[in-house]
Amino acid sequence: MQRLVSAENKPIAIALAFILVILLIGTGYTLSTTGTAPLLSPNYLLQQLQIGAFLGICAAGIMMVILLGHIDLSIPWTLTAAAMTATAIGGDLAVPTALAVGVAVGLVNGIGVAWLRIPSMIFTLGVDTVLRGLMVAQTGGFAPQDTATPLMVFLAKERLLGIPAAIFVWAAVSLAIVVILTRTGFGRAIYATGSREAAAYLSGIRTRWVIVGAFVVSGVCAAIAGILLAGYSAKAYQGMGNVYLLPAIAAVVLGGTHILGGRGRYVGTLIGVILIVLLNSVLSIMQMPEAGRQIIYGGVIIAMLLVYGRNQRVLS
């Protein structure tokens, strides 16, 4: 049992070690160049967490799908469609409309994967393309002129008790995911279905509805991220979600969630998000050229996955 627990915690420990190394390198660089250490400033860390909330909420949703051994590639335009629809509707209906878009996309994805048995990678990519076409048709190919509502701006940019409201939203989403995965029958069914769907079905679990539910959660999380991102930017724009797909998947995998499903803890995803946010922040402070940033960013991910992959082979 002790060996199993250590193996489960190993990816999390590795991610924490990488975070420490990133902080040390970034602090050493800023001390040598400016004589200050902004990375250790509470205000700076809160700002990075505020920006990381968008990625963290996307990662929370996509983790639910990855735990089933599936993938949701419709995240970018689910986020964008929710944000653009919310700003177009405006008023008190903006946020509920965005959430409804997330639910609708999740239902379509879940039905396509669970009932039609189309591979999730192909089906969700197709849904993402359809959403992109719908949004281009809605705006005529031009940037929308709508602006975010005051509530959206408040949730993304304002502070409560000195802490950005976006962090509270991220915390609420995180708490909901943890409760679902650890305290509900739905969460246990996700792990069972991800481990072996046929066995879960034979044991009485409604695996198709479990898959639909996970995709709905992923869609809603993408919509929430879209609400916040539109509020942070004060408007919605085409392609605003494109930069979040791969980092969200990377955060989930780096946090120890098995890409084939059945194993993973949300705390690992949380740490994976913080790692990616801090890495991007340090590279920005160092004014690393885009080419160098991509090389280092990819290298860190590959290095962690290699170490984690060795751990998985030992387990198997």
Side-chain angles (χ1 to χ4, degrees), residues 129 164 198 220:
T129 304
V220 169

Side-chain angles (χ1 to χ4, degrees), residues 11-32:
I12 298 175
I14 294 170
L16 287 172
F18 268 84
I19 289 175
L20 180 60
V21 170
I22 291 169
L23 286 174
L24 290 175
I25 292 175
T27 301
Y29 177 82
T30 54
L31 284 175
S32 64

Side-chain angles (χ1 to χ4, degrees), residues 64 176-191:
M64 302 285 283
I177 295 295
V178 170
V179 170
I180 288 173
L181 291 177
T182 62
R183 303 296 182 190
T184 68
F186 177 54
R188 290 187 290 272
I190 286 178
Y191 282 105

Side-chain angles (χ1 to χ4, degrees), residues 198-242:
Y201 176 79
L202 292 175
S203 67
I205 294 175
R206 296 173 140 187
T207 54
R208 287 178 173 176
W209 286 110
V210 171
I211 294 172
V212 171
F215 274 104
V216 168
V217 172
S218 181
V220 169
C221 285
I224 295 173
I227 292 169
L228 294 181
L229 189 57
Y232 190 79
S233 305
K235 63 180 181 179
Y237 52 92
Q238 294 184 29
M240 61 192 294
N242 289 344

Side-chain angles (χ1 to χ4, degrees), residues 12-202:
I12 298 175
I14 294 170
L16 287 172
F18 268 84
I19 289 175
L20 180 60
V21 170
I22 291 169
L23 286 174
L24 290 175
I25 292 175
T27 301
Y29 177 82
T30 54
L31 284 175
S32 64
T33 55
T34 66
T36 60
L39 281 175
L40 302 180
S41 166
N43 284 334
Y44 183 82
L45 292 175
L46 284 176
Q47 182 184 32
Q48 294 306 305
L49 288 176
Q50 180 182 18
I51 296 172
F54 314 137
L55 173 62
I57 293 172
C58 287
I62 206 169
M63 177 189 176
M64 302 285 283
V65 176
I66 292 178
L67 280 172
L68 290 171
H70 294 294
I71 197 73
D72 186 356
L73 300 184
S74 67
I75 292 295
W77 280 91
T78 302
L79 185 158
T80 304
M84 292 177 68
T85 305
T87 55
I89 294 295
D92 295 337
L93 293 178
V95 171
T97 299
L99 296 177
V101 170
V103 171
V105 174
L107 284 172
V108 171
N109 283 333
I111 291 172
V113 174
W115 265 273
L116 302 181
R117 290 299 174 180
I118 300 174
S120 58
M121 180 178 294
I122 303 300
F123 191 85
T124 58
L125 184 60
V127 170
D128 187 72
T129 304
V130 170
L131 289 172
R132 178 172 56 189
L134 290 174
M135 291 303 101
V136 171
Q138 175 183 319
T139 61
F142 300 97
Q145 301 301 311
D146 306 302
T147 58
T149 65
L151 176 59
M152 295 166 70
V153 174
F154 173 81
L155 291 175
K157 300 179 71 172
E158 299 300 325
R159 294 196 171 209
L160 295 172
L161 304 176
I163 300 175
I167 297 179
F168 286 106
V169 177
W170 184 14
V173 171
S174 299
L175 179 61
I177 295 295
V178 170
V179 170
I180 288 173
L181 291 177
T182 62
R183 303 296 182 190
T184 68
F186 177 54
R188 290 187 290 272
I190 286 178
Y191 282 105
T193 303
S195 296
R196 187 168 296 180
E197 183 177 349
Y201 176 79
L202 292 175

